[in-house]
Amino acid sequence: MPQKLIVAIDGPAGSGKSTSAKIVAQKLSYLYIDTGAMYRAVTLLVIRKNISNKQDIVKLVEKTDIELDFVDGETKVKINGQDVTKEIRSPEVNSMVSEISKIEGVRTILVNKQREMSNSNRGIVMEGRDIGTVVFPEADVKIFMTASIDTRSERRMKEYHEKGTTISLEDVKENLLSRDEIDSQRDVSPLIRASDAVEVDTSKVSIPEQVNIILEEIKKAAYRKGIKFSAVNLKEF
Ligand code: DC
């Protein structure tokens, strides 16, 4: 039996999932997987190929290689070998990604890929919208992160500005609200908190506190499974 844990982190955009998930994965030398990056890659592909028919989109995704690689704190994304790390975060992709994520055939392909990624001997921290509910309903640790819409909008705007993209706070807020609505209302795998997930409101706690809450949950799960748990000093981050 591999001595590893599966940690599922779900929540809406800007809730702080990526920040905490990356730190936790780095501290434990676990594999970090940002599933949103996969839906973003598919969306970019659809924009580039300019297709709208759902069956055509699914066929295209079936024959496309999407590669994620976590290097120096960043998820590098490749579509058929081409680096698209920057392009998948564009406002254009942001405005279409929730619609593309509703397509059942696309989700089936990506969920299968996500499950395959857990077939290694390493523990895994996977973040998204449906990880604790659909991808790994048996995950050892489930976290559901939330934050107020104002906090989330400000965080996203800061990220845009750091990357040199000019966008108003109102536009960021509107995009987040519309994605929240589509992501949580869709028929297939909507964004919902798993009944056994621990909820963390990141408007109220600092990043080191969020990380500690998650690490405490992992510690408990490791204890339950009889797995040795060790984490390096939090101050390094
Ligand atoms: O985490 P993110 O904001 O980069 O995700 C982009 C979009 O991808 C999000 O609005 C909905 C979709 N998504 C999804 O449907 N299921 C996931 N597991 C992850 C993301």
Side-chain angles (χ1 to χ4, degrees), residues 10-14 17-18 34-37 39-40 89 97-98 101 107 114 127-131 135 156 179 183 186 189:
D10 291 300
K17 299 187 300 290
S18 306
D34 169 4
T35 60
Y39 290 93
R40 286 173 178 276
R89 309 273 164 202
V97 66
S98 287
S101 309
R107 301 202 72 84
Q114 290 153 12
E127 61 144 300
R129 302 293 188 286
D130 58 343
I131 313 305
V135 183
R156 268 296 134 95
R179 278 168 58 199
D183 294 346
R186 68 178 174 228
S189 320

Side-chain angles (χ1 to χ4, degrees), residues 10-17 144-153 155 176-177 180 199-205 210:
D10 291 300
S15 58
K17 299 187 300 290
F144 192 79
M145 301 196 103
T146 58
S148 69
I149 182 65
D150 288 333
T151 306
R152 296 193 286 128
S153 308
R155 280 181 191 152
L176 289 184
L177 286 172
D180 284 356
E199 188 162 337
V200 182
D201 182 343
T202 66
S203 341
K204 295 179 183 153
V205 287
Q210 295 161 35

Side-chain angles (χ1 to χ4, degrees), residues 3-9 21 24-25 28-33 35 113-127 131 135-136 139-141 218:
Q3 295 286 292
K4 60 174 200 174
L5 293 173
I6 295 182
V7 181
I9 304 188
V24 168
L28 300 175
S29 297
Y30 277 18
L31 197 61
Y32 163 69
I33 294 162
T35 60
K113 279 186 203 274
Q114 290 153 12
R115 289 185 182 142
E116 276 166 26
M117 288 172 176
S118 74
N119 293 337
S120 80
N121 280 330
R122 272 171 85 187
I124 182 168
V125 179
M126 189 175 281
E127 61 144 300
I131 313 305
V135 183
F136 295 120
D140 301 292
V141 176
I218 296 175

